[in-house]
Protein backbone atom coordinates (compact mmCIF):
# COMPACT_ATOMS: atom_id res chain seq x y z
CA UNK A 1 0.00 0.00 0.00
CA UNK A 2 1.07 3.57 -0.62
CA UNK A 3 0.60 5.56 2.56
CA UNK A 4 -0.06 8.77 0.65
CA UNK A 5 -2.88 7.18 -1.34
CA UNK A 6 -4.62 4.91 1.17
CA UNK A 7 -6.76 5.82 4.14
CA UNK A 8 -5.74 4.44 7.51
CA UNK A 9 -9.50 4.43 8.14
CA UNK A 10 -10.80 1.76 5.77
CA UNK A 11 -14.60 1.88 5.59
CA UNK A 12 -16.59 -1.32 5.01
CA UNK A 13 -19.66 -0.61 2.89
CA UNK A 14 -21.45 -3.97 3.17
CA UNK A 15 -23.10 -5.74 6.11
CA UNK A 16 -20.81 -8.68 5.37
CA UNK A 17 -17.50 -8.73 3.50
CA UNK A 18 -15.99 -12.22 3.15
CA UNK A 19 -12.50 -12.77 1.72
CA UNK A 20 -10.50 -15.99 1.47
CA UNK A 21 -7.11 -14.94 0.15
CA UNK A 22 -3.81 -16.57 -0.77
CA UNK A 23 -0.88 -14.32 -1.64
CA UNK A 24 2.59 -15.40 -2.74
CA UNK A 25 4.51 -12.13 -2.48
CA UNK A 26 5.93 -10.15 0.41
CA UNK A 27 2.86 -8.30 1.60
CA UNK A 28 2.41 -5.85 4.41
CA UNK A 29 -0.43 -3.49 5.12
CA UNK A 30 0.13 -0.46 7.32
CA UNK A 31 -1.82 0.13 10.54
CA UNK A 32 -5.47 0.73 9.73
CA UNK A 33 -8.93 0.24 11.17
CA UNK A 34 -12.45 -0.31 9.84
CA UNK A 35 -15.96 0.90 10.67
CA UNK A 36 -16.99 -2.68 11.42
CA UNK A 37 -15.83 -5.80 13.21
CA UNK A 38 -13.29 -8.21 11.74
CA UNK A 39 -12.96 -11.96 12.22
CA UNK A 40 -9.60 -13.29 10.98
CA UNK A 41 -8.60 -16.95 10.63
CA UNK A 42 -4.94 -17.67 9.88
CA UNK A 43 -4.22 -20.77 7.78
CA UNK A 44 -0.60 -20.67 6.63
CA UNK A 45 2.41 -18.46 6.02
CA UNK A 46 5.20 -16.69 7.88
CA UNK A 47 3.29 -13.70 9.22
CA UNK A 48 3.42 -11.20 12.05
CA UNK A 49 0.11 -9.64 13.08
CA UNK A 50 0.07 -6.29 14.88
CA UNK A 51 -2.85 -5.10 17.02
CA UNK A 52 -2.52 -1.72 18.72
CA UNK A 53 0.72 -1.90 20.75
CA UNK A 54 1.14 -5.69 20.46
CA UNK A 55 2.57 -8.05 17.86
CA UNK A 56 2.11 -11.81 17.43
CA UNK A 57 3.80 -14.33 15.15
CA UNK A 58 0.89 -16.37 13.79
CA UNK A 59 0.43 -20.14 13.67
CA UNK A 60 -2.13 -22.15 11.73
CA UNK A 61 -5.41 -22.03 13.65
CA UNK A 62 -4.93 -18.62 15.23
CA UNK A 63 -8.29 -16.83 15.44
CA UNK A 64 -8.35 -13.05 15.83
CA UNK A 65 -11.22 -10.67 16.59
CA UNK A 66 -10.97 -6.91 15.98
CA UNK A 67 -13.32 -4.10 16.94
CA UNK A 68 -13.74 -0.91 14.87
CA UNK A 69 -11.48 1.11 17.18
CA UNK A 70 -8.51 -1.27 17.03
CA UNK A 71 -5.70 -0.46 14.62
CA UNK A 72 -4.04 -3.53 13.15
CA UNK A 73 -1.65 -4.74 10.51
CA UNK A 74 -0.50 -8.01 8.96
CA UNK A 75 2.99 -8.44 7.57
CA UNK A 76 4.29 -11.42 5.59
CA UNK A 77 7.94 -12.02 6.46
CA UNK A 78 8.84 -13.93 3.29
CA UNK A 79 7.41 -15.03 -0.07
CA UNK A 80 5.83 -18.25 1.14
CA UNK A 81 2.09 -18.54 0.50
CA UNK A 82 0.09 -16.50 3.00
CA UNK A 83 -3.47 -17.81 3.37
CA UNK A 84 -6.18 -16.37 5.61
CA UNK A 85 -9.91 -15.78 5.83
CA UNK A 86 -11.19 -12.37 6.84
CA UNK A 87 -14.83 -11.59 7.56
CA UNK A 88 -15.82 -7.96 8.10
CA UNK A 89 -19.18 -7.34 9.75
CA UNK A 90 -21.11 -4.16 10.42
CA UNK A 91 -22.20 -3.76 14.04
CA UNK A 92 -25.79 -3.19 12.95
CA UNK A 93 -25.70 -6.58 11.19
CA UNK A 94 -24.49 -8.33 14.36
CA UNK A 95 -27.21 -6.57 16.32
CA UNK A 96 -29.82 -8.03 13.98
CA UNK A 97 -28.39 -11.52 14.39
CA UNK A 98 -28.15 -11.25 18.18
CA UNK A 99 -30.94 -11.81 20.70
CA UNK A 100 -31.70 -10.29 24.09
CA UNK A 101 -29.89 -13.17 25.78
CA UNK A 102 -27.13 -13.84 23.22
CA UNK A 103 -24.94 -10.89 22.23
CA UNK A 104 -22.85 -12.07 19.27
CA UNK A 105 -20.56 -9.02 19.46
CA UNK A 106 -19.44 -9.85 23.03
CA UNK A 107 -16.08 -11.25 21.94
CA UNK A 108 -15.35 -7.98 20.14
CA UNK A 109 -16.62 -5.56 22.77
CA UNK A 110 -16.25 -7.11 26.21
CA UNK A 111 -12.49 -6.78 26.62
CA UNK A 112 -9.93 -3.96 26.91
CA UNK A 113 -8.88 -2.27 23.68
CA UNK A 114 -5.98 -4.13 22.07
CA UNK A 115 -6.12 -7.04 24.52
CA UNK A 116 -7.63 -10.52 24.37
CA UNK A 117 -7.81 -10.44 20.56
CA UNK A 118 -6.31 -13.82 19.76
CA UNK A 119 -6.86 -17.48 20.60
CA UNK A 120 -5.59 -20.70 19.05
CA UNK A 121 -7.81 -23.44 17.58
CA UNK A 122 -6.60 -27.01 17.45
CA UNK A 123 -6.94 -28.83 14.13
CA UNK A 124 -10.34 -30.32 14.98
CA UNK A 125 -11.72 -26.95 16.08
CA UNK A 126 -10.25 -25.28 13.01
CA UNK A 127 -11.93 -27.80 10.70
CA UNK A 128 -15.29 -27.01 12.33
CA UNK A 129 -14.75 -23.32 11.59
CA UNK A 130 -13.61 -24.00 8.03
CA UNK A 131 -16.66 -26.16 7.37
CA UNK A 132 -18.84 -23.15 8.21
CA UNK A 133 -16.76 -20.63 6.26
CA UNK A 134 -16.91 -22.88 3.19
CA UNK A 135 -20.70 -22.94 3.42
CA UNK A 136 -20.79 -19.15 3.87
CA UNK A 137 -18.67 -18.77 0.74
CA UNK A 138 -21.06 -21.01 -1.21
CA UNK A 139 -24.11 -19.03 -0.07
CA UNK A 140 -22.46 -15.77 -1.13
CA UNK A 141 -21.98 -17.12 -4.64
CA UNK A 142 -25.62 -18.02 -5.25
CA UNK A 143 -28.87 -16.10 -5.56
CA UNK A 144 -31.01 -19.19 -4.96
CA UNK A 145 -34.14 -18.86 -2.89
CA UNK A 146 -33.26 -18.79 0.81
CA UNK A 147 -29.52 -18.24 0.27
CA UNK A 148 -29.57 -15.00 2.26
CA UNK A 149 -31.32 -16.62 5.22
CA UNK A 150 -28.93 -19.58 5.11
CA UNK A 151 -25.99 -17.17 5.00
CA UNK A 152 -27.26 -15.34 8.07
CA UNK A 153 -27.75 -18.62 9.93
CA UNK A 154 -24.20 -19.70 9.10
CA UNK A 155 -22.71 -16.39 10.20
CA UNK A 156 -24.68 -16.56 13.45
CA UNK A 157 -23.33 -20.08 14.08
CA UNK A 158 -19.79 -18.93 13.28
CA UNK A 159 -20.06 -16.01 15.68
CA UNK A 160 -21.58 -18.21 18.38
CA UNK A 161 -18.65 -20.63 18.04
CA UNK A 162 -16.22 -17.72 18.17
CA UNK A 163 -17.74 -16.28 21.33
CA UNK A 164 -17.74 -19.67 23.05
CA UNK A 165 -14.13 -20.30 22.01
CA UNK A 166 -13.00 -16.94 23.46
CA UNK A 167 -15.08 -17.44 26.59
CA UNK A 168 -13.47 -20.78 27.43
CA UNK A 169 -9.89 -20.29 26.25
CA UNK A 170 -6.81 -20.17 28.49
CA UNK A 171 -4.51 -19.37 25.55
CA UNK A 172 -1.87 -16.71 26.26
CA UNK A 173 -0.18 -15.44 23.07
CA UNK A 174 3.44 -14.28 23.01
CA UNK A 175 3.80 -10.55 22.40
CA UNK A 176 6.90 -9.74 20.33
CA UNK A 177 6.38 -6.00 19.82
CA UNK A 178 9.68 -4.13 20.35
CA UNK A 179 9.60 -2.18 23.60
CA UNK A 180 10.52 1.13 21.95
CA UNK A 181 7.59 0.93 19.49
CA UNK A 182 5.18 -0.04 22.28
CA UNK A 183 6.39 2.82 24.48
CA UNK A 184 6.05 5.28 21.58
CA UNK A 185 2.44 4.20 20.98
CA UNK A 186 1.62 4.34 24.69
CA UNK A 187 3.05 7.85 25.04
CA UNK A 188 1.13 9.09 21.99
CA UNK A 189 -2.10 7.57 23.31
CA UNK A 190 -1.68 9.20 26.72
CA UNK A 191 -0.75 12.61 25.31
CA UNK A 192 -2.81 12.64 22.12
CA UNK A 193 -4.27 16.12 22.61
CA UNK A 194 -0.91 17.69 23.46
CA UNK A 195 1.76 18.97 21.10
CA UNK A 196 3.62 15.89 19.86
CA UNK A 197 6.86 16.28 17.92
CA UNK A 198 9.57 13.76 17.13
CA UNK A 199 12.01 15.76 19.22
CA UNK A 200 9.59 15.70 22.14
CA UNK A 201 9.22 11.92 21.82
CA UNK A 202 12.99 11.55 21.70
CA UNK A 203 13.37 13.42 24.97
CA UNK A 204 10.61 11.50 26.73
CA UNK A 205 11.68 8.06 25.49
CA UNK A 206 15.44 8.65 25.83
CA UNK A 207 16.15 7.50 22.30
CA UNK A 208 17.50 9.02 19.11
CA UNK A 209 14.69 10.63 17.08
CA UNK A 210 15.81 9.07 13.78
CA UNK A 211 15.96 5.62 15.37
CA UNK A 212 12.47 6.04 16.85
CA UNK A 213 11.15 7.11 13.46
CA UNK A 214 12.75 4.19 11.59
CA UNK A 215 11.60 1.57 14.08
CA UNK A 216 8.07 2.96 14.18
CA UNK A 217 7.77 2.96 10.38
CA UNK A 218 9.27 -0.55 10.18
CA UNK A 219 6.68 -2.06 12.50
CA UNK A 220 3.57 0.00 11.72
CA UNK A 221 4.07 0.93 8.08
CA UNK A 222 3.21 4.51 9.05
CA UNK A 223 5.19 7.60 9.88
CA UNK A 224 4.70 8.84 13.43
CA UNK A 225 3.00 11.94 12.02
CA UNK A 226 0.39 9.90 10.15
CA UNK A 227 -0.17 7.61 13.10
CA UNK A 228 -0.87 10.61 15.35
CA UNK A 229 -3.18 12.08 12.71
CA UNK A 230 -5.16 8.84 12.49
CA UNK A 231 -5.54 8.63 16.25
CA UNK A 232 -6.76 12.21 16.40
CA UNK A 233 -9.28 11.62 13.61
CA UNK A 234 -10.52 8.53 15.47
CA UNK A 235 -11.01 10.64 18.61
CA UNK A 236 -12.76 13.34 16.55
CA UNK A 237 -15.25 10.79 15.17
CA UNK A 238 -16.10 9.70 18.69
CA UNK A 239 -16.54 13.31 19.84
CA UNK A 240 -18.82 14.14 16.92
CA UNK A 241 -20.89 10.98 17.40
CA UNK A 242 -21.43 12.01 21.03
CA UNK A 243 -22.80 15.41 20.01
CA UNK A 244 -19.79 17.69 20.48
CA UNK A 245 -19.66 20.72 18.16
CA UNK A 246 -17.19 20.79 15.29
CA UNK A 247 -15.14 23.57 16.88
CA UNK A 248 -14.99 21.82 20.24
CA UNK A 249 -14.10 18.56 18.51
CA UNK A 250 -11.26 20.22 16.61
CA UNK A 251 -9.43 21.31 19.75
CA UNK A 252 -10.53 18.43 21.96
CA UNK A 253 -8.95 15.94 19.55
CA UNK A 254 -5.60 17.73 19.44
CA UNK A 255 -5.86 19.89 16.30
CA UNK A 256 -4.57 23.40 16.74
CA UNK A 257 -5.73 24.58 13.33
CA UNK A 258 -9.42 24.47 12.35
CA UNK A 259 -8.83 24.46 8.57
CA UNK A 260 -6.33 21.64 8.87
CA UNK A 261 -8.81 19.66 10.96
CA UNK A 262 -11.58 20.02 8.35
CA UNK A 263 -9.23 19.09 5.52
CA UNK A 264 -7.66 16.10 7.31
CA UNK A 265 -10.97 14.73 8.58
CA UNK A 266 -12.62 14.97 5.15
CA UNK A 267 -9.69 13.27 3.39
CA UNK A 268 -9.43 10.40 5.85
CA UNK A 269 -13.11 9.70 6.62
CA UNK A 270 -14.44 10.52 3.16
CA UNK A 271 -16.94 13.10 4.40
CA UNK A 272 -16.73 16.45 6.15
CA UNK A 273 -17.10 16.76 9.94
CA UNK A 274 -20.39 18.60 9.41
CA UNK A 275 -21.91 15.84 7.29
CA UNK A 276 -20.56 13.20 9.63
CA UNK A 277 -22.14 14.94 12.63
CA UNK A 278 -25.51 15.19 10.87
CA UNK A 279 -25.70 11.46 10.16
CA UNK A 280 -27.88 9.32 12.42
CA UNK A 281 -26.00 8.06 15.46
CA UNK A 282 -23.44 5.52 14.23
CA UNK A 283 -23.29 2.47 16.51
CA UNK A 284 -19.89 1.47 15.10
CA UNK A 285 -18.30 4.38 16.93
CA UNK A 286 -19.91 3.83 20.32
Amino acid sequence: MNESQEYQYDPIQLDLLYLHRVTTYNMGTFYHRHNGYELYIFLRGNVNFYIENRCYHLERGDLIVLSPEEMHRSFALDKNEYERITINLQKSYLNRLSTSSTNLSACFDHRPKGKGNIIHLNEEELESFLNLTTQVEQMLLTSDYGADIMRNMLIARLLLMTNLAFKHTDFVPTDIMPELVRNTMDYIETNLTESLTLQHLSEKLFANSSYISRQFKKHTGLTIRNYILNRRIELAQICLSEGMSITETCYHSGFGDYANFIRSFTKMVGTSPGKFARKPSDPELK
Side-chain angles (χ1 to χ4, degrees):
M1 287 188 181
N2 185 325
E3 182 183 348
S4 65
Q5 296 177 351
E6 299 286 345
Y7 293 152
Q8 288 86 59
Y9 174 71
D10 187 13
I12 304 300
Q13 306 297 339
L14 304 172
D15 278 348
L16 167 64
L17 177 62
Y18 176 98
L19 295 171
H20 184 173
R21 290 174 289 182
V22 179
T23 50
T24 55
Y25 56 91
N26 196 329
M27 173 196 168
T29 60
F30 51 69
Y31 264 56
H32 64 283
R33 59 190 176 87
H34 308 287
N35 60 331
Y37 296 124
E38 181 170 323
L39 185 66
Y40 173 105
I41 303 172
F42 179 71
L43 298 176
R44 58 192 165 113
N46 185 14
V47 174
N48 283 347
F49 202 97
Y50 296 80
I51 306 169
E52 293 291 327
N53 64 354
R54 289 171 167 76
C55 177
Y56 310 104
H57 186 70
L58 299 185
E59 297 183 4
R60 176 178 170 83
D62 283 344
L63 175 65
I64 298 172
V65 293
L66 298 159
S67 68
E69 296 82 13
E70 290 174 319
M71 294 189 75
H72 55 280
R73 178 195 195 202
S74 64
F75 189 83
L77 301 171
D78 56 31
K79 294 185 179 181
N80 289 326
E81 286 193 339
Y82 166 28
E83 183 177 7
R84 68 283 190 197
I85 294 171
T86 59
I87 304 175
N88 292 100
L89 305 152
Q90 291 285 5
K91 180 175 282 192
S92 56
Y93 178 53
L94 265 71
N95 289 341
R96 296 198 301 272
L97 295 179
S98 299
T99 69
S100 58
S101 59
T102 305
N103 178 11
L104 293 176
S105 64
C107 61
F108 300 97
D109 291 335
H110 296 170
R111 53 181 177 75
K113 183 179 180 182
K115 297 180 181 179
N117 298 79
I118 180 170
I119 62 171
H120 183 75
L121 305 172
N122 62 38
E123 200 62 31
E124 182 179 352
E125 292 167 332
L126 177 60
E127 287 305 314
S128 295
F129 272 80
L130 294 181
N131 179 50
L132 285 177
T133 59
T134 299
Q135 293 180 68
V136 169
E137 191 168 352
Q138 292 171 347
M139 289 302 103
L140 288 168
L141 293 174
T142 181
S143 58
D144 289 350
Y145 177 79
D148 55 342
I149 293 177
M150 182 61 71
R151 178 202 65 189
N152 291 342
M153 291 171 58
L154 292 166
I155 290 294
R157 285 182 60 192
L158 188 64
L159 290 167
L160 182 60
M161 287 173 58
T162 299
N163 276 277
L164 289 172
F166 271 86
K167 183 176 181 180
H168 298 296
T169 188
D170 56 2
F171 178 70
V172 179
T174 301
D175 179 12
I176 60 172
M177 178 69 88
E179 184 177 5
L180 178 61
V181 179
R182 181 188 299 108
N183 290 343
T184 303
M185 289 181 166
D186 290 346
Y187 187 83
I188 290 171
E189 188 74 14
T190 304
N191 299 276
L192 189 58
T193 61
E194 307 298 324
S195 176
L196 289 168
T197 64
L198 192 54
Q199 183 59 39
H200 184 69
L201 288 170
S202 175
E203 293 171 358
K204 293 297 182 180
L205 299 173
F206 305 103
N208 178 271
S209 59
S210 296
Y211 183 68
I212 294 174
S213 182
R214 288 196 305 271
Q215 288 297 302
F216 196 88
K217 181 67 180 288
K218 175 183 177 180
H219 288 277
T220 68
L222 296 174
T223 63
I224 289 177
R225 178 182 177 277
N226 272 306
Y227 180 80
I228 293 171
L229 175 61
N230 184 275
R231 283 305 198 191
R232 287 175 171 169
I233 293 296
E234 177 189 352
L235 178 56
Q237 288 179 275
I238 294 171
C239 291
L240 290 171
S241 70
E242 293 178 347
M244 192 175 290
S245 72
I246 297 174
T247 301
E248 289 175 316
T249 295
C250 170
Y251 296 103
H252 186 78
S253 55
F255 288 88
D257 181 274
Y258 186 80
N260 179 49
F261 167 64
I262 300 296
R263 182 170 57 252
S264 298
F265 187 100
T266 302
K267 179 180 179 181
M268 188 169 293
V269 180
T271 189
S272 69
K275 290 182 180 178
F276 182 90
R278 288 194 295 271
K279 290 195 308 180
S281 181
D282 189 347
E284 276 75 13
L285 295 173
K286 296 299 185 183

